[in-house]
C-alpha cells in the first residue's frame, strides 16, 4: 500500500494536472499520461486484489516518481524556491530510506558490506 501511495499521491496526480504538460511532446505526454493513470488505478485495486499482486505491479510504475520529482523544481520561480523544492525532494527520499532501514523487518539483509569479523 505504501508503494502504491508513493506512486499515486503526488507523482501521478501532479503529472495528470500539471500545467507544464504542454512542454512535453505528444508521445512523451501519452506515455506519462498512461503511467499516471495506471498508477492511480492501483489505488482501488488494493481493496479488491491481494496487496502483493498490486505491489508487484506498482513496481513497474516507479519511474513516474523519478520523472515528476526530477522536474518538480520547475514550479518555483526563484532560485531560493527551486533550492527549497530540491531539498524537500531529497529530504522526502531520505525519510523514506530512513524509515525503511530502521523499521523494515528484513532491511538488515539489504545493507551492504556487513562483514562478520568486523
Amino acid at each position: 500500500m505504501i508503494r502504491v501511495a508513493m506512486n499515486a499521491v503526488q507523482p501521478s496526480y501532479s503529472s495528470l494536472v500539471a500545467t507544464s504538460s504542454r512542454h512535453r511532446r505528444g508521445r512523451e505526454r501519452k506515455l506519462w499520461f498512461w503511467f499516471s493513470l495506471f498508477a492511480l488505478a492501483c489505488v482501488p485495486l488494493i481493496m479488491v486484489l491481494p496487496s502483493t499482486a498490486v505491489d508487484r505491479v506498482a513496481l513497474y510504475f516507479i519511474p513516474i516518481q523519478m520523472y515528476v520529482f526530477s522536474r518538480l523544481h520547475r514550479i518555483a520561480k526563484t532560485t531560493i524556491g527551486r533550492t527549497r523544492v530540491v531539498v524537500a525532494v531529497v529530504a522526502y527520499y531520505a525519510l523514506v530510506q530512513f524509515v525503511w532501514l530502521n523499521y523494515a523487518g528484513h532491511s538488515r539483509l539489504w545493507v551492504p558490506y556487513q562483514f562478520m569479523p568486523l
Side-chain angles (χ1 to χ4, degrees):
M1 189 163 165
I2 294 171
R3 191 180 339 260
V4 171
M6 286 176 65
N7 284 342
V9 173
Q10 206 281 330
S12 294
Y13 181 74
S14 295
S15 182
L16 284 175
V17 298
T19 57
S20 64
S21 64
R22 65 180 177 266
H23 299 294
R24 294 183 261 167
R25 289 179 241 127
R27 289 185 183 185
E28 185 180 352
R29 186 179 310 132
K30 284 182 187 179
L31 172 74
W32 294 115
F33 171 78
W34 286 109
F35 254 79
S36 300
L37 204 60
F38 286 133
L40 285 172
C42 286
V43 174
L45 289 178
I46 291 174
M47 308 304 174
V48 179
L49 298 174
S51 63
T52 304
V54 178
D55 180 55
R56 297 302 181 248
V57 171
L59 283 171
Y60 291 104
F61 299 120
I62 287 178
I64 191 76
Q65 291 180 38
M66 292 185 289
Y67 175 76
V68 171
F69 284 129
S70 68
R71 287 160 175 76
L72 197 60
H73 68 280
R74 295 179 181 180
I75 63 170
K77 304 288 186 226
T78 65
T79 304
I80 294 172
R82 284 190 289 271
T83 303
R84 287 180 180 164
V85 171
V86 169
V87 168
V89 169
V90 170
Y92 168 72
Y93 279 110
L95 179 66
V96 169
Q97 188 72 26
F98 174 80
V99 168
W100 185 79
L101 285 174
N102 288 299
Y103 298 109
H106 60 285
S107 64
R108 62 180 166 68
L109 302 172
W110 286 78
V111 178
Y113 309 116
Q114 288 189 347
F115 187 62
M116 294 307 285
L118 296 177

